[in-house]
Amino acid sequence: MLKKLLVGLWMALLVVAISFLFWQNEFKYSLPTPVPQNYKAIAVGSKIDLKCCLADRKPIFIHFFNPDCPCSRFNIPHVSELIKKYGDRINFKIVVLNKERSFSIAEIQKKFDARIPVYFDQAIAKSCGVFSTPQAVLLDGSQNLYYRGNYNKTRYCTNADSNYAQMAIDSLLKQNHSPSFDALALRAYGCSLPKCNK
């Protein structure tokens, strides 16, 4: 009888441990990121005044990134592909949002295998209405907000049918009206700001 009780307790402990690990590493990132209390929504079409990022009249793509956020780490290959594919027609920028550790520009560029501008200014996220990582922001040549949202409906960016950020880039480059996306594209998922905790 005692042996059955010990085995039962051991099995219950294993189930609890596995459930906790699943929550920490997977399920909590499939839930929408809570909207901060003082969040100020920025509507699509709004003018975004980013003096730091001006270079020419090309559209601007800003990748909001936290090296400590699992969701951000999982989409590095996808963002790198976007930079390689569209880098001659779009000005790519990376905004690192992490208050826990310091990273150098060279470290971030190495992660993406790209020599693109890297910023550490959380005010850029506020200007664009971003409150989680990873998030994509696409501005047209006049710095109007064209798209703000997720890269894909999966955090691993493996579903080609839901490459939302890439669809937005293609639409802008073809000079179409801003595409309409489902809630999975526009509702923030990932790691919360301001600390972007794991």
Side-chain angles (χ1 to χ4, degrees):
M1 182 70 174
L2 182 62
K3 187 175 182 180
K4 286 183 181 181
L5 181 63
L6 288 174
V7 169
L9 286 173
W10 178 248
M11 294 302 282
L13 181 64
L14 282 176
V15 168
V16 168
I18 290 169
S19 298
F20 176 76
L21 288 172
F22 178 72
W23 167 258
Q24 282 295 105
N25 294 304
E26 189 68 36
F27 186 71
K28 75 177 181 179
Y29 297 111
S30 68
L31 300 173
T33 303
V35 178
Q37 270 187 336
N38 300 333
Y39 177 68
K40 182 183 172 209
I42 308 296
V44 170
S46 298
K47 180 83 168 173
I48 308 295
D49 187 23
L50 297 177
K51 294 175 179 64
C52 67
C53 302
L54 289 177
D56 50 34
R57 299 281 294 164
K58 286 182 188 176
I60 298 171
F61 186 99
I62 306 171
H63 173 52
F64 291 90
F65 175 68
N66 174 11
D68 288 337
C69 174
C71 300
S72 284
R73 288 194 305 263
F74 289 135
N75 86 343
I76 289 173
H78 181 66
V79 174
S80 296
E81 286 177 30
L82 292 177
I83 294 168
K84 287 180 178 99
K85 183 173 181 178
Y86 299 101
D88 59 332
R89 296 173 281 167
I90 304 266
N91 286 322
F92 282 87
K93 319 286 183 190
I94 296 174
V95 175
V96 177
L97 300 169
N98 183 298
K99 289 189 172 184
E100 301 296 319
R101 296 191 303 149
S102 295
F103 296 91
S104 70
I105 291 173
E107 283 178 287
I108 301 302
Q109 289 174 335
K110 184 177 180 182
K111 286 180 185 297
F112 291 91
D113 191 27
R115 294 189 52 82
I116 61 174
V118 175
Y119 303 92
F120 299 90
D121 185 359
Q122 191 162 343
I124 298 171
K126 186 176 181 182
S127 297
C128 295
V130 170
F131 58 90
S132 73
T133 61
Q135 284 283 284
V137 165
L138 181 61
L139 308 176
D140 66 18
S142 300
Q143 286 200 342
N144 297 312
L145 181 61
Y146 188 82
Y147 175 77
R148 176 190 56 245
N150 299 313
Y151 286 87
N152 199 291
K153 71 179 179 183
T154 70
R155 72 178 180 154
Y156 303 100
C157 297
T158 55
N159 187 338
D161 294 335
S162 65
N163 279 341
Y164 304 123
Q166 184 172 351
M167 291 174 189
I169 291 172
D170 289 336
S171 178
L172 179 62
L173 292 176
K174 292 176 185 170
Q175 298 183 342
N176 293 340
H177 293 290
S178 187
S180 60
F181 290 111
D182 60 26
L184 290 173
L186 306 176
R187 190 178 305 135
Y189 292 85
C191 302
S192 298
L193 301 183
K195 291 187 178 180
C196 288
N197 290 341
K198 295 184 221 178

